[in-house]
Amino acid sequence: QVQLVESGGGLVQPGGSLRLSCAVSGSIFRIVAVDWDRQAPGKQRELVATITGGGTTDYNDSVKGRFTISRDNAKNTVYLQMNSLKPEDTAVYYCNARVTRNYSDYVSRRYLVVEGQGTLVTVSS
């Protein structure tokens, strides 16, 4: 069974930093892409950042220049470094991964989508 385990959330003051981690466990062949989403109270869920298997990244305009998504392939872990945090960054952050279990699924683009349990980030003084 493939699982995502998120960690790193917490309470931080405005202007502070946090690093979220998303570890993929289980039997997989390849991580195709990983997204970090967030959902603030009373708001719709939004995409924050994406990293592909080739290392291409993309960001929501609201976090560009402040957040950095990266990956450690040896550890099957993706990170979200969040700097210059603002109160409006307060949300539950979710990690979502598209993975393949074997080479056949990879070439056929039969992806398994897995979501983490979410981790709360609170930016407040």
Side-chain angles (χ1 to χ4, degrees):
Q1 185 177 0
V2 180
Q3 291 183 319
L4 301 183
V5 178
E6 299 156 350
S7 61
L11 173 64
V12 64
Q13 292 187 342
S17 298
L18 281 175
R19 188 177 79 158
L20 305 183
S21 299
C22 173
V24 182
S25 65
S27 178
I28 62 171
F29 174 75
R30 188 74 55 89
I31 298 174
V32 176
V34 175
D35 303 326
W36 281 101
D37 299 339
R38 68 185 179 187
Q39 187 163 23
K43 294 188 177 181
Q44 286 190 332
R45 192 157 169 171
E46 64 178 355
L47 178 63
V48 175
T50 298
I51 187 164
T52 69
T56 301
T57 59
D58 195 17
Y59 298 91
N60 187 303
D61 285 345
S62 66
V63 306
K64 282 181 180 177
R66 300 188 298 123
F67 290 11
T68 302
I69 190 170
S70 62
R71 59 190 293 171
D72 184 333
N73 291 332
K75 297 180 179 179
N76 280 344
T77 299
V78 171
Y79 304 98
L80 185 68
Q81 177 66 42
M82 306 185 294
N83 299 328
S84 302
L85 282 161
K86 304 175 182 180
E88 51 264 44
D89 294 318
T90 295
V92 178
Y93 284 71
Y94 298 92
C95 175
N96 305 284
R98 280 160 279 164
V99 304
T100 59
R101 288 196 173 110
N102 52 58
Y103 177 74
S104 175
D105 284 352
Y106 177 69
V107 296
S108 303
R109 298 189 178 186
R110 286 195 295 268
Y111 303 147
L112 174 67
V113 180
V114 190
E115 181 174 288
Q117 79 282 1
T119 184
L120 177 62
V121 172
T122 304
V123 185
S124 175
S125 54

